[in-house]
Amino acid sequence: MPKFMDVHDGMIGITADALLAAHQGDLAIQAEEGVDFQHAWADPASGKVFCLSEAPSAEAIQRIHTRNGIPPAEIHELTLEV
Amino acid sequence: MPKFMDVHDGMIGITADALLAAHQGDLAIQAEEGVDFQHAWADPASGKVFCLSEAPSAEAIQRIHTRNGIPPAEIHELTLEV
């Protein structure tokens, strides 16, 4: 299954509770698109959130995040890792 | 130890060998700044590379990556994760 990093902008001041709620919102519906959100990291100072997932396509991630109210600014397919 | 995600731009077409060589170059000198590069993911199509690390500061990461010839475009301190 392809791996992806998607990036959210503008989440300045995001709290631990808000990050958890957003992640749980994704988890609740991700199976409908075959997405597996594995990890999310946030920098509240810059407002960036990075989500690591496995998914059938970038579009599947876009649909789940958008339905959950947090459309990502970028989605990158990670074909290499070390 | 603080955790960071740094992001490189413009690495379009990066190969598995080049990613490994860059990562090994970081590992070879990271101890001089107390940095621990843990994982790197690349999207050769968009040219983005994401590096996850633990480090004493963003400046320490900047110095190691720059000495290794790959100064990052962005460095984000990840104070939240889920």
Side-chain angles (χ1 to χ4, degrees):
Chain A
M1 180 91 87
K3 191 170 287 193
F4 295 88
M5 187 79 78
D6 68 82
V7 185
H8 303 260
D9 286 331
M11 304 187 82
I12 292 173
I14 187 172
T15 64
D17 284 352
L19 182 66
L20 180 60
H23 187 58
Q24 289 178 331
D26 288 324
L27 297 187
I29 58 174
Q30 66 180 10
E32 296 172 34
E33 296 276 0
V35 179
D36 177 16
F37 284 105
Q38 298 176 333
H39 212 104
W41 299 269
D43 175 2
S46 69
K48 290 270 188 179
V49 176
F50 300 90
C51 299
L52 185 68
S53 65
E54 289 187 350
S57 67
E59 291 72 22
I61 294 167
Q62 182 76 41
R63 285 191 290 269
I64 294 295
H65 266 343
T66 300
R67 284 176 55 195
N68 191 32
I70 48 168
E74 302 171 29
I75 304 176
H76 298 281
E77 184 170 351
L78 307 169
T79 56
L80 302 176
E81 64 181 296
V82 63
Chain B
M1 181 90 87
K3 191 169 286 191
F4 294 88
M5 187 79 78
D6 68 82
V7 184
H8 302 261
D9 286 332
M11 304 186 83
I12 293 173
I14 187 171
T15 64
D17 284 351
L19 181 66
L20 180 60
H23 187 59
Q24 288 177 331
D26 288 324
L27 297 186
I29 58 173
Q30 67 180 10
E32 296 172 33
E33 296 277 0
V35 179
D36 177 16
F37 284 106
Q38 299 177 333
H39 213 104
W41 299 267
D43 175 2
S46 70
K48 291 270 188 177
V49 176
F50 300 91
C51 298
L52 185 67
S53 65
E54 289 187 350
S57 68
E59 291 72 21
I61 295 167
Q62 182 76 41
R63 285 191 291 268
I64 294 295
H65 266 343
T66 299
R67 284 176 55 195
N68 190 32
I70 48 168
E74 303 171 28
I75 304 176
H76 298 281
E77 185 171 350
L78 306 169
T79 57
L80 302 176
E81 65 181 297
V82 64

